[in-house]
Amino acid sequence: VILRGRTTPPTLEDAVFSASGRAILLSFSGNNTDGLFNNGKAEAECAIAFENHTVSLLGTDPVCQWSDPLLMLITLGPGSVILPVFENDGNTSCLGGASLTLRNDSVKTNRNAILFSYGCINVKAPRTAESPMVILISPTKIGICDDLRLDASSSSGGSGRPMNITWTLREARENDTNV
């Protein structure tokens, strides 16, 4: 009889938004996985790997894919609401709306292993993010009692999400023709 110890599963290492904000790179450390989910495939619905409350943050039909045995690429679906945690926040506990929680029994060194990865990890902001491009459409002149309509709907760079735009009006000074 030969007794062998069980292989410890990989450990959650890091979770970072891609530069575009349309995907999350989830890395593990330790022993390699076989790069397959419980369904025997390298790509699957994210519900196989993550708890329901995490999947609800990832948008409609997100896709999880092993790009190598210790790196999972999570492609977010439309309507994703997961937010990044900035590294200087100093918060190490998992934050609702900003973290990924693994489903028990989903990430192992191989499909028949007994031990599995577990836990949650906050998703960090990208190391370098794409800058938004603001396109503002407005009239060149308006009358003193006219409504001013500003349209930024052609702007881009919201990483597949609706952009939040805030307008600020500063007080005009005497003889100032620009607001």
Side-chain angles (χ1 to χ4, degrees):
V1 174
I2 298 173
L3 296 176
R4 293 188 183 142
R6 293 188 173 133
T7 305
T8 58
T11 305
L12 284 168
E13 176 80 13
D14 198 21
V16 180
F17 272 98
S18 65
S20 70
R22 293 183 187 100
I24 297 171
L25 302 167
L26 180 62
S27 59
F28 294 83
S29 63
N31 294 310
N32 286 354
T33 68
D34 60 5
L36 301 173
F37 292 103
N38 282 345
N39 65 0
K41 297 180 181 177
E43 180 177 307
E45 294 177 7
C46 292
I48 287 178
F50 297 102
E51 293 289 344
N52 292 340
H53 65 276
T54 293
V55 175
S56 70
L57 301 173
L58 304 178
T60 305
D61 300 323
V63 175
C64 290
Q65 179 178 13
W66 288 103
S67 52
D68 80 37
L70 289 174
L71 185 64
M72 184 188 298
L73 175 67
I74 303 164
T75 304
L76 302 173
S80 171
V81 294
I82 192 164
L83 298 172
V85 171
F86 294 91
E87 290 188 60
N88 58 358
D89 286 351
N91 194 333
T92 56
S93 60
C94 288
L95 301 173
S99 63
L100 304 169
T101 302
L102 288 175
R103 182 178 296 282
N104 288 343
D105 206 36
S106 66
V107 177
K108 308 183 220 182
T109 53
N110 64 66
R111 289 189 309 160
N112 297 320
I114 294 172
L115 301 176
F116 52 85
S117 302
Y118 61 91
C120 64
I121 190 166
N122 288 325
V123 181
K124 297 176 191 167
R127 289 170 180 86
T128 55
E130 290 179 1
S131 297
M133 181 175 188
V134 178
I135 299 172
L136 183 61
I137 300 170
S138 68
T140 55
K141 292 184 179 185
I142 60 169
I144 195 163
C145 292
D146 292 342
D147 289 337
L148 171 62
R149 292 187 184 262
L150 302 174
D151 180 0
S153 62
S154 297
S155 299
S156 63
S159 301
R161 301 173 189 211
M163 294 175 65
N164 292 325
I165 299 171
T166 303
W167 305 105
T168 303
L169 178 65
R170 66 174 173 83
E171 185 177 333
R173 294 183 214 120
E174 190 176 330
N175 297 325
D176 193 353
T177 59
N178 298 319
V179 178

